[in-house]
Amino acid sequence: MENDLQAIVAQAEACQAEVSSRSDWDQAKAAILGPKGTLTQASKLIGTLPREEKPAFGQALNKAKKQVEALFAMTLSNIEEKADLLALGQAYDPTLPAIPHRSGSLHPLTATRRKVVSTFRKLGFTVAEATEAETEWFCFDALNTPADHPARDEQDTLFFKPDSKWANVSKKGNEAHLLRTHTSSVQIRTMMCEKPPLRVIAPGRCFRRDTVDATHSANFHQLEGLCIDRNVTLLDLKGTLDYFLKETFGSKVQTRLRPSFFPFTEPSFEVDLKAPNLGKLSNKWIEIMGCGLVDPEVLNLVGLAENEWSGFAFGVGIERITMILHGIDDIRHFYQNDQRFLSQFTGPA
Ligand code: DAH
């Protein structure tokens, strides 16, 4: 009798290989577990057995039933999986080429920042970082920017509410707090915690109360530069910026300094560049950044002797460099995470 049960389990195993559709499966299952199925019939034999043989047969019967049910359950899930794949048009075909591996690429702003940082590293500059939340003193006063300067206006700057918890985190106790409007505040922090001579660049995020359009964003990125040493001249500034701009825009770039005004540099300049390889902007003078010699008043404010130390400073927009380099006409592309835009850049790793 128990041999019969083993034969039924073997029958169940054998038919799993032949079953390939749900209806085959129903039929095969009925042939064993259905009312007239072989296992159901075999179980009826228990009534004909002598009393003492019944328990052992009952146990063997249960075991066989479990095995058969497990086989059918497994086969059904295989059939369903295949049907799902077929429905998705993805029947597994081991001869098809593999799905191409899509590797990511750097965000164009990250690629620009890294390239510019590595250029300045070659000139001996190190990277300085500071907080994005600032006090008015570091962002304006120490940079010789008077209280009535337009940059300090509520319309231009994101101030913290006087009652917010951040507004109380101040060395001086009663200063207004804000999101830094430029990376120039890092100049001050660096001069106050490092001893000259020093050469630093400070890439970072800045914030202004700008209405977003093709050329304005309330959140953007700058890279600040500061060199403090003895006898620093305009020649040092011009030579440094020429090297940086040639490395960034190509060796054919021409540059010029145009007199301008910044409260923290004296004299101050806008830097323009002209290059033959910039698409629509080729061979036109384009304004790229601000710079100048550090105003002696700034040295005084951070406690450096103006008759001993001198320096140059500059600030450039990371977005601006990237837009000019790649002919991007709308700053908003950088922040929308649209793959169609981002996948066009494979910036240096
Ligand atoms: N902080 C200026 C701005 O946001 C840029 C700038 C100009 C930085 C001249 C400098 C500089 O260090 O010397 O517009």
Side-chain angles (χ1 to χ4, degrees), residues 216-237:
H216 293 88
S217 167
N219 171 200
F220 57 98
H221 302 80
Q222 286 187 336
L223 183 129
E224 192 78 15
L226 175 71
C227 164
I228 301 284
D229 208 329
R230 295 181 173 90
N231 307 317
V232 174
T233 68
L234 263 185
L235 208 57
D236 300 311
L237 171 61

Side-chain angles (χ1 to χ4, degrees), residues 88-109:
L88 290 169
Q90 287 179 358
Y92 176 60
D93 177 352
T95 65
L96 286 176
I99 296 167
H101 173 67
R102 288 182 46 191
S103 59
S105 59
L106 289 179
H107 189 282
L109 295 178

Side-chain angles (χ1 to χ4, degrees), residues 181-184 187 208 222 224-225 262 264-265 269 290-292 313-316:
T181 55
H182 52 184
T183 43
S184 303
Q187 289 188 32
R208 286 187 199 170
Q222 286 187 336
E224 192 78 15
F262 297 102
F264 38 91
T265 43
F269 304 93
C291 68
F314 57 87
V316 60

Side-chain angles (χ1 to χ4, degrees), residues 2-272:
E2 284 176 22
N3 286 348
D4 290 350
L5 292 179
Q6 273 167 16
I8 291 171
V9 174
Q11 176 201 354
E13 269 165 1
C15 70
Q16 302 313 310
E18 290 150 27
V19 164
S20 60
S21 69
R22 177 70 202 235
S23 62
D24 287 353
W25 182 85
D26 284 335
Q27 262 181 20
K29 191 175 171 205
I32 298 172
L33 293 166
K36 292 190 179 146
T38 45
L39 193 63
T40 318
Q41 296 304 318
S43 67
K44 288 182 182 156
L45 294 175
I46 201 162
T48 67
L49 291 176
R51 222 170 201 284
E52 62 280 10
E53 288 177 24
K54 283 185 183 176
F57 184 72
Q59 268 180 9
L61 196 63
N62 277 341
K63 190 174 157 205
K65 198 168 173 205
K66 277 202 182 117
Q67 284 175 321
V68 169
E69 281 172 349
L71 281 167
F72 276 102
M74 188 179 73
T75 308
L76 181 61
S77 95
N78 287 342
I79 291 171
E80 284 174 345
E81 194 174 288
K82 277 193 195 131
D84 286 349
L85 285 173
L86 264 177
L88 290 169
Q90 287 179 358
Y92 176 60
D93 177 352
T95 65
L96 286 176
I99 296 167
H101 173 67
R102 288 182 46 191
S103 59
S105 59
L106 289 179
H107 189 282
L109 295 178
T110 308
T112 300
R113 192 195 68 224
R114 290 196 185 176
K115 168 87 171 87
V116 175
V117 167
S118 87
T119 299
F120 280 105
R121 274 188 194 283
K122 286 189 237 169
L123 295 176
F125 283 75
T126 55
V127 173
E129 282 183 316
T131 50
E132 291 167 359
E134 264 301 356
T135 67
E136 265 196 307
W137 192 79
F138 282 101
C139 207
F140 301 122
D141 299 85
L143 286 158
N144 198 29
T145 306
D148 59 356
H149 193 280
R152 297 177 74 147
D153 201 281
E154 292 254 336
Q155 304 301 315
D156 292 310
T157 299
L158 293 155
F159 287 95
F160 287 98
K161 283 204 206 104
D163 56 349
S164 82
K165 69 172 178 177
W166 299 110
N168 298 322
V169 189
S170 165
K171 274 203 298 193
K172 299 192 169 176
N174 55 357
E175 289 174 87
H177 281 65
L178 48 92
L179 290 173
R180 67 180 179 197
T181 55
H182 52 184
T183 43
S184 303
S185 54
V186 191
Q187 289 188 32
I188 303 301
R189 291 195 173 267
T190 307
M191 286 187 279
M192 289 180 76
C193 66
E194 280 174 38
K195 284 212 173 74
L198 50 90
R199 252 176 283 175
V200 292
I201 44 168
R205 192 184 284 244
C206 309
F207 307 83
R208 286 187 199 170
R209 220 182 172 103
D210 275 336
T211 306
V212 178
D213 63 20
T215 51
H216 293 88
S217 167
N219 171 200
F220 57 98
H221 302 80
Q222 286 187 336
L223 183 129
E224 192 78 15
L226 175 71
C227 164
I228 301 284
D229 208 329
R230 295 181 173 90
N231 307 317
V232 174
T233 68
L234 263 185
L235 208 57
D236 300 311
L237 171 61
K238 181 74 165 51
T240 304
L241 295 185
D242 279 356
Y243 177 74
F244 151 57
L245 293 170
K246 284 206 161 80
E247 285 281 296
T248 310
F249 292 96
S251 58
K252 299 224 168 75
V253 89
Q254 287 172 262
T255 61
R256 73 179 181 197
L257 297 185
R258 196 162 30 85
S260 181
F261 175 78
F262 297 102
F264 38 91
T265 43
E266 183 56 39
S268 303
F269 304 93
E270 300 285 350
V271 186
D272 297 334

